[in-house]
Amino acid sequence: ARGEVISIVCPGAPGIGKTWNIMNVLDSIEAKYERITGTCTGIELFKAAYKHRAPGQILLLDDVDRIFQEEDAMNVLKALTDSTKRRVVSWRTDAIKDEEGVESTFEFKGSIIFLSNRNFQKEVDEKANRFAVHMEAIMSRSLYLDLLVHDRRALSIWIHHVCTAGKMFVLEGVKEEVGKEILAWVDENKMVLRDYSLRTIHKLCALTKTNLGRFDWKMAAKDTFCR
């Protein structure tokens, strides 16, 4: 947030708390940031960067992988994360609306955090798709903080850690013995779960607190969460 680090790439499996943790830290220090999620075109990325160009301001790009599919967006992102002393960014192919107060060329002094569910290193190593070269370019410009949570074994370790050391069940208002039952059920069914993440734990906690009448929560979970 002080602007010492230009950009960070943080990949990891979906639903492990990347966004929650980072936004929690940014909010706690009252950082000036904008979260962009879902999709983002090149010109919209350029405008957002202009509005957050000052030192200490941050763009949080949260799972906006469409950027890798658009050449203009990638060129803007590479300019924003360049390692040169002055990061000057330009947009000259389309007119920038004057009423928005966005200049066609500016110096970006802010920082970028890029969150993604994709395993950048694996895709670059395997040259898995035509976007691998763009991923490699962003990795070379950024601190690459791989959470190493990409498979179900790693997910299991992380979920157990968050639920116990992170006191997730306390935050969810679930009794300790019920929490142990939830973890045991998840371990037993993790290979057939459609989604295996902290979101699954959150939904299971809600299910245990629901009055299911003659249905046990484990029966309901088997019907709704498993393949």
Side-chain angles (χ1 to χ4, degrees):
R2 291 193 301 267
E4 299 295 339
V5 176
I6 294 172
S7 62
I8 296 175
V9 174
C10 185
I16 61 172
K18 299 188 297 296
T19 301
W20 186 90
N21 276 285
I22 286 179
M23 290 182 66
N24 191 43
V25 171
L26 294 177
D27 288 337
S28 70
I29 62 175
E30 298 182 347
K32 297 177 181 178
Y33 73 95
E34 178 179 350
R35 179 188 176 209
I36 300 174
T37 185
T39 187
C40 184
T41 63
I43 194 166
E44 292 303 322
L45 176 61
F46 182 86
K47 291 177 182 177
Y50 180 82
K51 294 172 184 175
H52 295 80
R53 66 190 182 279
Q57 294 186 312
I58 300 168
L59 281 182
L60 175 57
L61 304 179
D62 189 358
D63 203 19
V64 286
D65 291 338
R66 175 179 166 174
I67 283 178
F68 296 116
Q69 303 173 32
E70 187 180 323
E71 203 70 32
D72 288 338
M74 274 309 306
N75 288 334
V76 170
L77 186 58
K78 284 190 279 190
L80 294 173
T81 57
D82 200 358
S83 57
T84 55
K85 190 172 183 179
R86 295 182 71 244
R87 287 171 286 155
V88 178
V89 191
S90 298
W91 187 279
R92 296 182 180 275
T93 57
D94 290 319
I96 300 293
K97 295 180 180 179
D98 293 335
E99 61 268 22
E100 293 183 354
V102 179
E103 299 176 6
S104 59
T105 299
F106 66 92
E107 183 178 358
F108 183 69
K109 297 181 180 180
S111 300
I112 293 178
I113 301 173
F114 196 104
L115 306 182
S116 179
N117 297 335
R118 303 175 78 147
N119 186 341
F120 279 40
Q121 190 65 63
K122 184 173 185 292
E123 294 193 32
V124 168
D125 290 345
E126 296 177 355
K127 295 182 171 29
N129 54 56
R130 62 190 179 90
F131 312 125
V133 64
H134 293 318
M135 292 178 174
E136 189 172 21
I138 297 304
M139 287 172 64
S140 71
R141 289 164 163 79
S142 309
L143 289 182
Y144 187 70
L145 180 62
D146 192 341
L147 300 182
L148 301 177
V149 182
H150 299 291
D151 57 41
R152 297 221 160 185
R153 179 179 178 276
L155 272 169
S156 179
I157 294 169
W158 178 243
I159 286 171
H160 274 260
H161 170 74
V162 173
C163 289
T164 54
K167 301 186 182 301
M168 182 173 178
F169 293 128
V170 175
L171 295 173
E172 292 282 351
V174 170
K175 294 179 181 179
E176 182 179 356
E177 58 270 24
V178 177
K180 290 179 179 179
E181 287 184 25
I182 290 174
L183 283 178
W185 185 88
V186 165
D187 283 342
E188 181 183 343
N189 295 280
K190 64 184 176 184
M191 299 312 295
V192 294
L193 285 169
R194 279 191 292 271
D195 173 51
Y196 185 43
S197 69
L198 291 174
R199 296 188 188 113
T200 307
I201 302 296
H202 171 72
K203 289 185 285 188
L204 282 169
C205 287
L207 200 58
T208 63
K209 293 183 286 185
T210 302
N211 183 6
L212 298 173
R214 65 187 180 88
F215 291 103
D216 178 76
W217 69 262
K218 296 177 185 178
M219 294 173 59
K222 194 82 171 177
D223 290 339
T224 54
F225 296 164
C226 298
R227 295 187 180 94

